[in-house]
């Protein structure tokens, strides 16, 4: 029981932000944390505990994603920015799925559709 409990706790995340799109494009997810640190394609780990999985090479089809996670997120505003590094996603659209308190009874999920050609912060 203790092992199963530990495994379940390891899956808990205070904040997960997943950028998804389709097509032969390279979009970049960036997250500015409330502590003043930025998690980006060039700074994939922060002192605030954020981790970004970006430019995932094992994605073989046209479904693409980048994922930011914070196991123990800080209180405050997180600024999410989507930019286009190369090419265009199908329909110039991407989806951002924000999950708060994943794996707990307080889990909340919000989904946003963004036009990635605008290159703006939206959350």
């Amino acid at each position: 029981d203790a092992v199963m409990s530990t495994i379940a706790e390891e899956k808990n995340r205070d904040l997960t932000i997943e950028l998804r799109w389709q097509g032969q494009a390279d979009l970049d997810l960036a997250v500015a944390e409330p502590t003043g640190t930025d998690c980006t394609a060039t700074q994939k780990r922060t002192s605030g505990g954020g981790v970004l999985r970006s430019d995932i090479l094992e994605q073989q089809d046209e479904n693409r994603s980048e994922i930011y996670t914070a196991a123990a997120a800080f209180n405050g505003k997180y600024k999410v920015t989507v930019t286009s590094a190369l090419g265009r996603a199908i329909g110039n659209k991407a989806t951002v799925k924000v999950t708060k308190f994943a794996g707990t009874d307080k889990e909340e999920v919000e989904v946003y559709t963004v036009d990635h050609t605008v290159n703006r912060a939206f959350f």
Side-chain angles (χ1 to χ4, degrees):
D1 288 342
V3 171
M4 295 308 288
S5 176
T6 302
I7 291 170
E9 286 178 20
E10 285 298 314
K11 293 182 180 180
N12 292 355
R13 297 287 178 258
D14 280 358
L15 182 62
T16 301
I17 302 170
E18 183 175 4
L19 171 64
R20 299 177 184 175
W21 71 97
Q22 291 185 320
Q24 296 299 316
D26 181 14
L27 303 185
D28 286 333
L29 174 66
V31 178
E33 299 169 327
T35 57
T37 52
D38 293 321
C39 201
T40 67
T42 57
Q43 180 65 40
K44 294 184 181 199
R45 292 187 180 272
T46 70
S47 59
V51 177
L52 180 65
R53 285 191 63 219
S54 63
D55 298 327
I56 303 167
L57 298 176
E58 62 267 14
Q59 294 174 330
Q60 300 296 320
D61 56 14
E62 289 201 1
N63 294 312
R64 307 280 184 228
S65 66
E66 294 197 353
I67 303 168
Y68 166 87
T69 57
F74 289 94
N75 287 330
K77 284 200 167 218
Y78 284 75
K79 181 179 172 184
V80 177
T81 306
V82 176
T83 56
S84 178
L86 179 68
R88 289 186 165 187
I90 294 173
N92 293 327
K93 300 289 183 199
T95 301
V96 175
K97 179 181 175 184
V98 178
T99 305
K100 299 174 187 172
F101 309 112
T104 72
D105 58 349
K106 298 188 305 182
E107 183 171 315
E108 296 178 34
V109 177
E110 299 173 60
V111 178
Y112 302 88
T113 300
V114 295
D115 180 339
H116 72 78
T117 62
V118 177
N119 292 344
R120 65 178 172 87
F122 67 93
F123 173 81

